[in-house]
Amino acid sequence: MTPGAISGLRLRQEAAATAGHAPALPAKLRAIEVQARPTQAFSSPSFHRRALGFADSAAVTITLFAVLALLGKNGVLVGIAGTPLVLALFKLGGLYDRDELRLAPSTLNEVPRLLELTGLLILAFVILQPALLPSGISGAEIATLWLTAFLGVTTGRTLVRWLTRRTHAAERCLVLGDLEQARRIRERLAESRARAQVITCVPLSSDDVDAVEIPSFVTDLIREQHIERVIVAPAAGDKTGGAELIRMVKAAGVSVSVLPRILDAVGAHVEFDEVDGLTFLGVRRFGLCRSSRLVKRLFDIVVASAGLVAVGPIILAVAVAIRLDSKGPVFFRQLRVGRDGKYFSMIKFRSMVSDAEALKDELRALSQPGDGLFKIADDPRVTTVGRFLRRSSLDELPQVFNVLRGEMSLVGPRPLVLEEDELVVGFSRSRLHLTPGMTGPWQVMGLRLPLHEMVEVDYRYVANWSLWLDFKLLLRTVPHVLRRGNV
């Protein structure tokens, strides 16, 4: 393996000081940066399933019993029946097995499924009503039970995952495949909410690698380094086929995640379609149909209107602060590229000196992300009030007027300035299929992405759009702003 093949990652065999020793291996098939075992134990999948099951049963039993008691009904039998019913329904619904398959389990991603299953749970109680509640129950009371059961289960699962992240070590991961992908995976996992870290990488695409030596070495490495998950990131030049790799690591008894390159093009919104032993991936058409556009627009109008009423006093207070802090207008309007390449004036609170655009060329060398985007961490053009507005993201509030005018959406791809938009060419311009948003997927990540990666993230958002995805991104924007993620 040539030195160039390992650029960006240090080549280091585990020292004797680490808890275990790396297995002997040929020089041409070296593991990259094997790290020491943590002193803190990783929570096993079985422990995590039991913890979730306990939280679900406790939440359902307590909430249903409490609500029925408040309604003046005897809820003892309902509480007793709640535990086996919720465990059976959630097990059949796959909610106790999904976390083992995910690097970053999230209760928010489960909300639609939890809403369905708690609805089925309450339906079961209604069917069993003569035996469990002889006094009967009204429609409003059924709705109350459903809502409280859903909120209780959601809260319990969130608490279990929060405690797990803080009391157990990160899952130890081995990456098989492309070295550049391994670097990217390690960085993203380190910056994300995932309970996982890349311990080592085994490259499979070098010309010096003999595919015959891979299985035994990887199996030894998994055992010696206490690897809990293997991430398979195959590249075109890999000497071992993806299917064989997956079978091999599954046989080692560890969790497996695959990073398929095809999903970069088709997105994650796919359906598995099995036809007489052949498994196909059904990929939906790109973009939104007319009815989906209408749903998205109605969602924007309702939420933006309610939000404008709620933050109206804040907008007024910020406007006064800007006028007192520096000379110039309260609002800053900038020409941006919107849906289908049409230009519009995006409105923000002015956070810089009035001649900021004239100073841009002088500061271009300080731009951080590179690759076409202009962004400076400590921009000298920012005013005192503007610095606070940017840290709190309050400078973005006036864009709600762009949303109400139909020029922007609450959630969507970032609206680029003209000079940045000129750098987006070819198929990447399909990001303009949707109306640009006040927030979006890459903003929630909190990463300073170069232009080409940002365009990929925007494309996947367009390819995977759903109303629930917009709702999730809005919810995730709130903690991102509160922790000053834009600093």
Side-chain angles (χ1 to χ4, degrees), residues 76 133 168 221 356 374 391 402:
V76 174
L133 288 172
H168 292 82
L221 192 61
F374 184 84
R391 288 184 175 181
N402 290 117

Side-chain angles (χ1 to χ4, degrees), residues 63 138 281 340 362 371 385 389 396 423 433-434 465 478 481:
T63 56
S138 67
L281 283 181
D340 298 330
E362 299 177 18
D371 201 19
V385 171
L389 294 178
E396 309 284 350
L423 300 174
H433 180 79
L434 283 187
W465 181 86
V478 175
V481 171

Side-chain angles (χ1 to χ4, degrees), residues 95-112:
L95 289 184
Y96 296 128
D97 303 313
R98 296 177 67 183
D99 281 18
E100 186 179 353
L101 307 178
R102 294 176 177 269
L103 285 161
S106 168
T107 304
L108 185 59
N109 288 332
E110 294 175 342
V111 164

